[in-house]
Amino acid sequence: SRLFDLHCQIAECVGMDRPEMFGNSNLEPMQVRLWIDYERADGIRNNPLHQSQRLEQEEIDGSINILLNIPLTHEFEDYLVKNHKQIIVTSPTSLVNKVKKLIGE
């Protein structure tokens, strides 16, 4: 048994595993593609954001592109906004635009 399970903590805190805990019981999972910078890549690779996480591509500079199949909760959007310099949404376009609007781009 692990005393500290980072995946569970992140996934639960941003409502990906149990969106109903955050008042999001009717959200359907969506495919989300993220680019992760090289500084965060190992951490995200070793402690996935969600159980659905799939590595799509590893770049020469050490950054990675991942695919998630998750409900888009407000908490996850906040997580993306807080980490927007190291984690960039590449799809879906609606989420790309929403995050850009939230960070003021």
Side-chain angles (χ1 to χ4, degrees), residues 88-102:
I88 297 174
V89 180
T90 57
S91 74
T93 303
S94 59
L95 184 58
V96 171
N97 293 335
K98 187 165 192 175
V99 170
K100 283 183 178 182
K101 181 178 177 182
L102 291 170

Side-chain angles (χ1 to χ4, degrees), residues 16 30-35 68 70-81 84 87-103 105:
M16 291 188 289
M30 292 185 66
Q31 284 197 342
V32 175
R33 284 186 171 81
L34 303 174
W35 170 87
L68 304 167
I70 58 169
L72 296 180
T73 64
H74 295 294
E75 293 76 18
F76 182 62
E77 291 169 358
D78 289 344
Y79 173 80
L80 294 171
V81 168
H84 75 274
I87 300 175
I88 297 174
V89 180
T90 57
S91 74
T93 303
S94 59
L95 184 58
V96 171
N97 293 335
K98 187 165 192 175
V99 170
K100 283 183 178 182
K101 181 178 177 182
L102 291 170
I103 61 174
E105 284 189 2

Side-chain angles (χ1 to χ4, degrees), residues 32-46:
V32 175
R33 284 186 171 81
L34 303 174
W35 170 87
I36 313 292
D37 81 349
Y38 72 94
E39 292 178 350
R40 299 281 303 268
D42 281 341
I44 299 290
R45 191 182 297 114
N46 294 326

Side-chain angles (χ1 to χ4, degrees), residues 6-64:
L6 184 61
H7 158 71
C8 288
Q9 186 178 39
I10 291 173
E12 287 180 16
C13 287
V14 297
M16 291 188 289
D17 280 344
R18 298 185 350 208
E20 67 279 358
M21 290 181 63
F22 294 88
N24 300 307
S25 59
N26 60 346
L27 291 178
E28 292 295 322
M30 292 185 66
Q31 284 197 342
V32 175
R33 284 186 171 81
L34 303 174
W35 170 87
I36 313 292
D37 81 349
Y38 72 94
E39 292 178 350
R40 299 281 303 268
D42 281 341
I44 299 290
R45 191 182 297 114
N46 294 326
N47 296 296
L49 293 175
H50 189 259
Q51 63 192 13
S52 68
Q53 180 174 309
R54 300 287 178 264
L55 178 65
E56 286 200 313
Q57 187 170 348
E58 201 163 347
E59 304 294 340
I60 293 172
D61 66 358
S63 63
I64 58 174

